[in-house]
């Protein structure tokens, strides 16, 4: 409510100067709460910058920080500060993250389902002997013995015989 009131008071110069100042003060204190909720954004931004990775959190974070610093400058300069814009940036970032998680949830579930179907061990032929080894012990050049209707846990090619496979 204070964000909308701040936007209305500042955009249309509504109310008395005293009322606008009260809304600005309330907007400042509200912005501290929003900044607290935006700490994840700032942490992610700093992590991306320090690891030299280009992520969207950098632009979101820089925008929120610049708007907030401009509002603080205006607050102490007795101009009409716009802390509500920083709040809107942080809220939009949270909305973006939520929509992104909704979009990736089905894919993540399908991928987990497929990974649960991968066998954790295989029969490897090394030399003339067969060994039952865990999947992480398979090395490049191993021959894997695959029985009928058995799932293939690794990429490769058919060295002997024939097969019909479904990816």
């Amino acid at each position: 409510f204070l964000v909308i009131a701040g936007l209305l008071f500042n955009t249309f110069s509504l109310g008395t100067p005293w009322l606008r100042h009260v809304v600005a003060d309330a907007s400042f204190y509200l912005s501290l709460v929003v900044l607290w909720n935006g700490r994840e954004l700032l942490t992610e931004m700093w992590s991306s910058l320090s690891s030299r990775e280009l992520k969207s959190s950098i632009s979101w974070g820089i925008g929120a920080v610049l708007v907030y610093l401009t509002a603080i400058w205006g607050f102490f300069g007795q101009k009409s500060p716009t802390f509500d814009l920083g709040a809107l940036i942080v809220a939009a970032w949270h909305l973006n993250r939520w929509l992104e998680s909704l979009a990736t949830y089905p894919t993540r579930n399908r991928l987990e389902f497929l990974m649960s179907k991968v066998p954790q061990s295989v029969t490897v032929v090394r030399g003339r002997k067969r060994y039952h080894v865990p999947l992480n012990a398979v090395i490049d050049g191993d021959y894997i013995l695959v029985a009928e209707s058995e799932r293939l846990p690794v990429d490769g090619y058919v060295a002997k015989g024939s097969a019909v496979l479904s990816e």
Side-chain angles (χ1 to χ4, degrees):
F1 173 74
L2 285 174
V3 171
I4 294 170
L7 282 173
L8 289 174
F9 281 113
N10 288 330
T11 304
F12 300 112
S13 298
L14 298 176
T16 64
W18 176 84
L19 189 55
R20 282 197 297 269
H21 186 67
V22 168
V23 170
D25 285 348
S27 178
F28 171 72
Y29 293 118
L30 175 68
S31 72
L32 295 176
V33 172
V34 170
L35 202 60
W36 178 255
N37 286 331
R39 71 188 181 282
E40 183 183 349
L41 167 62
L42 299 177
T43 304
E44 190 176 312
M45 178 191 77
W46 183 255
S47 173
S48 297
L49 286 172
S50 62
S51 64
R52 296 182 182 210
E53 295 177 8
L54 188 58
K55 293 185 178 178
S56 66
S57 62
I58 294 174
S59 58
W60 285 101
I62 288 174
V65 167
L66 288 177
V67 166
Y68 191 76
L69 290 176
T70 303
I72 288 177
W73 182 271
F75 182 75
F76 290 113
Q78 298 303 320
K79 298 178 183 171
S80 58
T82 54
F83 292 105
D84 41 10
L85 295 178
L88 289 175
I89 289 175
V90 171
W93 179 75
H94 279 291
L95 177 65
N96 178 44
R97 295 278 303 253
W98 179 68
L99 290 173
E100 191 176 276
S101 70
L102 284 179
T104 59
Y105 180 75
T107 305
R108 185 174 37 249
N109 280 349
R110 287 186 198 119
L111 187 60
E112 288 173 2
F113 173 74
L114 289 174
M115 291 303 290
S116 70
K117 298 296 181 187
V118 173
Q120 298 303 311
S121 60
V122 294
T123 304
V124 175
V125 178
R126 292 181 181 153
R128 295 198 179 268
K129 293 187 179 183
R130 295 180 183 178
Y131 302 97
H132 197 69
V133 298
L135 190 58
N136 60 0
V138 176
I139 57 175
D140 192 23
D142 276 347
Y143 289 95
I144 298 174
L145 185 63
V146 181
E148 187 176 331
S149 75
E150 190 176 23
R151 296 184 189 272
L152 298 175
V154 294
D155 290 337
Y157 62 94
V158 178
K160 184 176 179 184
S162 62
V164 176
L165 304 173
S166 174
E167 293 184 43

